Amino acid sequence: MTTLTVHEMLKQEVDLLPETLAEEVFDFVLFVKEQRAEDMFLWQQVREAQAYRQQNPQDVITATADEWDEATRRLE
């Protein structure tokens, strides 16, 4: 007995789908790939920001919520 990989099982299932349903599955696959790419990009941005803050602590400013609201009130 052979064990199928996930790719092989997926291919078998997709081959059995009617065209309209296959289109929906394809759209879903593209959606999942885009979400994964976006997540990876955002986490890379987080890592870069953390590294910058560690290397440049003088550039890090902390503020209370009230201080932030006061400082950004004019931007609205």
Side-chain angles (χ1 to χ4, degrees), residues 2-13:
T2 62
T3 303
L4 297 177
T5 67
V6 173
H7 280 94
E8 292 167 334
M9 290 186 292
L10 183 59
K11 287 176 186 176
Q12 284 180 356
E13 290 297 322

Side-chain angles (χ1 to χ4, degrees), residues 36-57:
R36 179 70 54 96
E38 183 177 351
D39 286 349
M40 288 174 27
F41 171 77
L42 292 174
W43 279 113
Q44 178 62 31
Q45 296 298 306
V46 168
R47 286 189 293 274
E48 288 175 11
Q50 288 174 333
Y52 179 84
R53 288 177 176 197
Q54 287 177 346
Q55 294 170 3
N56 301 281

Side-chain angles (χ1 to χ4, degrees), residues 2 27 30 63:
T2 62
D27 287 343
L30 293 179

Side-chain angles (χ1 to χ4, degrees), residues 20-75:
T20 55
L21 191 52
E23 289 174 9
E24 289 184 44
V25 170
F26 180 68
D27 287 343
F28 179 71
V29 168
L30 293 179
F31 169 77
V32 170
K33 286 175 66 176
E34 184 63 31
Q35 286 295 109
R36 179 70 54 96
E38 183 177 351
D39 286 349
M40 288 174 27
F41 171 77
L42 292 174
W43 279 113
Q44 178 62 31
Q45 296 298 306
V46 168
R47 286 189 293 274
E48 288 175 11
Q50 288 174 333
Y52 179 84
R53 288 177 176 197
Q54 287 177 346
Q55 294 170 3
N56 301 281
Q58 73 280 2
D59 293 344
V60 178
I61 300 171
T62 57
T64 65
D66 290 336
E67 291 169 336
W68 178 258
D69 288 343
E70 181 63 31
T72 59
R73 183 169 297 142
R74 69 181 186 284
L75 300 176

